[in-house]
Amino acid sequence: MEANSLAAAHRGYQYQDLIAALALVDVVLSRLLTPTIDRKLFDHDIFDDLTTTAVSGERQRLQIKHTSGTITPLSLTNFATQRRGVRLDNLVAAIALDRDIFPSLSARTTYRLIFTDGAPIDPLLRRVLRSTVDAVGLTGLRLPTNAFRFDADALLNLRGTSVDNGSLAVMLSGLHTMSPGTVKSTLARMVVETSSPGYSGDLSMPGPAEELLLRRVRDEIGAGSFPNQNRPPLDFAAGLILAAQSARTGKGAVDMSSLTRRIQLRTDYGAVLAATPVDPDLEVGRDGLVQIIVEQVTEAATRGDRVVVTGPPGQGKSWTSDQLAAMLKRNGWLVASHYCYLGEADHQRDDRVLLESIFGSLIARLAEADRSLVSANLPRYAADRNALEQTLKQAIRRSPMGVALIVDGLDHISRVISPGTSSDASLIVCDALAKIDVPEGIALVVLSQPGAHLEPLIEATTIPLQGMSGPELEELARRTMSDSPGAVDDNFLDALQSRSAGNALYATYL
């Protein structure tokens, strides 16, 4: 018998860890602050299994009661005796004390008593325990349970009736030592939940509770999706359960940073380093040209459309991209840029051209500007077209001046990712960009050499990039030949313009 009791206690702790792991999903999603697991906040604290606080300030305190073996309906005995440690007068006293100790939190705290027992069918219990549908609000840990609240008036009126006998009489006497106002106000904050999902104790053969955890780490966190495509949901789920167990035994932290490190979750959307191939010492400002492109981008954004800027190698597309982003930002736009190619020495050269990395980098740049843009994304840390579209919907709501996505160097993709093969990786990426649902107020700007890979963007506004003017070439020459300023004379500049035809790269070589 003693061994059976010990086994039941262990199963109870396992279940508690599993429920806590579900709460840790919300920590990883930045919905909950760091929770307190299995710690009494004061003497005679009953709701000590789990305490959570939402970012909105809503606080929940949980006591979890797991039943091994056959599930039976919740009975009045649970609340009339001390057999399971939740005699009702003691619960009320614990809630009242918590509210006294933390008065600033009292109006925003819900006390949850969670049972794996089935919904009550006992007429007497149903007489004082009423079903409710809005029990736990919209924040905090949500479980597929049946929720009830005690009717304080019906409960207090039981005293002295024919059902008032034995252990029930003792409990009711305890309630009547408190003021009716205290009983009513505390019970109004307490929710009794039944039919909490059972568990198997084996993630490889999950029960309903483990299924819920596995589904949440997949569908809400993004386990198994880029950039966490090599981490199956089972790995993340096991890591969260272990984190909860460690916290329960006082050996581990469960803040956001600690959790993502423990479960090895990538939260950067697979973004590559935000960098530009532009050398500021050589870059020549092209305000007139960039202003023309800004006007076209602004027009395209009214339709939620695309702009393609084309030019031959060395025409200054990256300079234009860099200056376009800067001008749009000065105008109040939210801008996310991605360069597909920085040079052969770039240690992320191969990653930079991957479609998933392009999506992830754009999402990451938007999130860096405003973290709330990704707060509603599901899965939160996945990076694909769907995730980018979710982010764009939030971005236009928070940036009414306009949002621009700028992708430079699409022509480089095929040269990096599939040289010598028949597949056109640049075409594949262009096709994916063409399929993005771009809301009104947002423009997608692509800069590339001309080519068949741009066919999916044929309906976009196309702007051929002009070569550099005489004054621009003169500035480039003076920047390039700063150690020989006397050599930059009219004859030199005439020859430079004639031979380079305004091509920035060729002019630099000359």
Side-chain angles (χ1 to χ4, degrees):
M1 185 68 178
E2 184 176 339
N4 289 339
S5 298
L6 188 60
H10 284 312
R11 287 193 292 272
Y13 279 126
Q14 281 185 312
Y15 190 70
Q16 181 180 324
D17 292 339
L18 182 52
I19 298 301
L22 285 164
L24 296 184
V25 171
D26 291 305
V27 177
V28 173
L29 296 174
S30 300
R31 296 172 182 167
L32 295 181
L33 305 178
T34 305
T36 301
I37 297 176
D38 200 40
R39 195 178 82 199
K40 292 186 181 296
L41 304 185
F42 50 83
D43 289 342
H44 308 298
D45 186 8
I46 296 178
F47 294 88
D48 60 333
D49 286 347
L50 180 64
T51 299
T52 67
T53 303
V55 293
S56 62
E58 297 296 321
R59 178 173 176 253
Q60 294 185 1
R61 303 210 60 211
L62 280 66
Q63 175 63 207
I64 302 163
K65 294 297 178 184
H66 175 264
T67 300
S68 299
T70 303
I71 300 300
T72 57
L74 185 67
S75 68
L76 183 61
T77 305
N78 292 285
F79 304 104
T81 70
Q82 279 285 38
R83 184 173 65 88
R84 299 179 75 179
V86 290
R87 203 174 76 182
L88 192 54
D89 55 337
N90 293 336
L91 291 173
V92 171
I95 294 173
L97 190 52
D98 186 74
R99 288 161 63 84
D100 288 343
I101 294 173
F102 305 102
S104 64
L105 304 175
S106 60
R108 308 191 75 176
T109 301
T110 300
Y111 303 87
R112 300 175 62 180
L113 193 56
I114 298 174
F115 293 92
T116 54
D117 307 58
I121 59 175
D122 174 44
L124 180 56
L125 183 55
R126 293 301 300 268
R127 181 171 157 187
V128 296
L129 193 62
R130 308 291 171 82
S131 178
T132 182
V133 294
D134 60 348
V136 296
L138 299 177
T139 59
L141 174 66
R142 302 191 64 79
L143 294 169
T145 56
N146 298 314
F148 303 85
R149 291 188 190 274
F150 274 102
D151 182 328
D153 289 327
L155 188 64
L156 292 172
N157 289 336
L158 283 181
R159 192 177 187 194
T161 66
S162 58
V163 300
D164 179 15
N165 57 72
S167 56
L168 179 62
V170 175
M171 183 272 287
L172 291 173
S173 295
L175 287 180
H176 278 272
T177 62
M178 309 172 204
S179 70
T182 296
V183 175
K184 291 179 181 181
S185 65
T186 54
L187 290 180
R189 305 299 306 181
M190 186 177 81
V191 180
V192 176
E193 299 175 57
T194 66
S195 306
S196 188
Y199 85 113
S200 68
D202 184 352
L203 285 170
S204 66
M205 300 180 64
E210 289 104 342
E211 287 276 14
L212 176 59
L213 179 60
L214 290 166
R215 185 166 62 249
R216 291 198 65 197
V217 298
R218 182 190 67 233
D219 296 347
E220 298 182 44
I221 293 179
S225 299
F226 181 85
N228 295 289
Q229 71 274 24
N230 297 322
R231 299 294 312 287
L234 190 146
D235 283 0
F236 279 1
L240 291 174
I241 293 172
L242 184 58
Q245 181 188 59
S246 297
R248 175 171 57 81
T249 57
K251 295 180 180 178
V254 285
D255 58 277
M256 170 69 168
S257 176
S258 299
L259 287 175
T260 54
R261 184 173 61 252
R262 176 186 280 272
I263 66 176
Q264 300 177 44
L265 171 70
R266 286 193 65 178
T267 60
D268 63 354
Y269 301 99
V272 293
L273 181 68
T276 171
V278 173
D279 182 349
D281 292 331
L282 295 180
E283 183 180 12
V284 174
R286 309 191 70 188
D287 290 351
L289 171 64
V290 172
Q291 181 58 48
I292 293 173
I293 298 175
V294 165
E295 292 170 1
Q296 293 292 329
V297 170
T298 302
E299 172 63 24
T302 63
R303 307 184 300 274
D305 211 342
R306 295 153 180 80
V307 173
V308 177
V309 180
T310 63
Q315 194 79 340
K317 294 185 293 298
S318 293
W319 284 358
T320 303
S321 174
D322 190 60
Q323 293 171 36
L324 172 62
M327 187 174 288
L328 287 171
K329 288 177 182 178
R330 288 196 298 271
N331 293 346
W333 285 54
L334 176 60
V335 179
S337 298
H338 175 77
Y339 292 89
C340 296
Y341 187 74
L342 298 182
E344 290 300 315
D346 176 23
H347 73 283
Q348 292 184 308
R349 189 199 69 156
D350 293 347
D351 292 334
R352 194 170 291 279
V353 298
L354 297 176
L355 178 60
E356 294 92 342
S357 294
I358 295 173
F359 285 140
S361 296
L362 293 173
I363 295 169
R365 301 293 93 84
L366 293 170
E368 287 166 7
D370 184 348
R371 200 70 193 173
S372 68
L373 300 183
V374 295
S375 62
N377 284 6
L378 291 178
R380 171 69 59 83
Y381 300 108
D384 54 17
R385 192 179 92 194
N386 176 62
L388 180 58
E389 289 175 347
Q390 290 183 71
T391 307
L392 292 179
K393 290 177 183 178
Q394 295 301 319
I396 194 56
R397 293 190 183 105
R398 291 172 169 81
S399 185
M401 290 301 295
V403 179
L405 305 179
I406 302 176
V407 182
D408 177 60
L410 289 176
D411 49 282
H412 288 281
I413 295 175
S414 289
R415 290 194 289 274
V416 172
I417 203 169
S418 55
T421 68
S422 59
S423 63
D424 188 341
S426 294
L427 175 64
I428 293 171
V429 171
C430 283
D431 184 61
L433 294 178
K435 291 177 179 176
I436 296 173
D437 183 8
V438 180
E440 292 182 2
I442 297 178
L444 171 60
V445 185
V446 169
L447 297 97
S448 172
Q449 293 181 27
H453 63 279
L454 294 177
E455 181 67 24
L457 297 168
I458 193 171
E459 295 184 1
T461 300
T462 301
I463 305 173
L465 192 61
Q466 302 170 7
M468 300 181 75
S469 65
E472 291 170 341
L473 282 172
E474 180 178 356
E475 181 181 349
L476 175 62
R478 295 193 182 282
R479 285 172 175 267
T480 306
M481 303 174 64
S482 59
D483 57 343
S484 305
V488 184
D489 56 20
D490 289 345
N491 290 332
F492 175 85
L493 291 173
D494 288 344
L496 181 64
Q497 185 161 19
S498 174
R499 296 181 63 180
S500 71
N503 184 282
L505 181 60
Y506 190 28
T508 301
Y509 289 152
L510 289 173

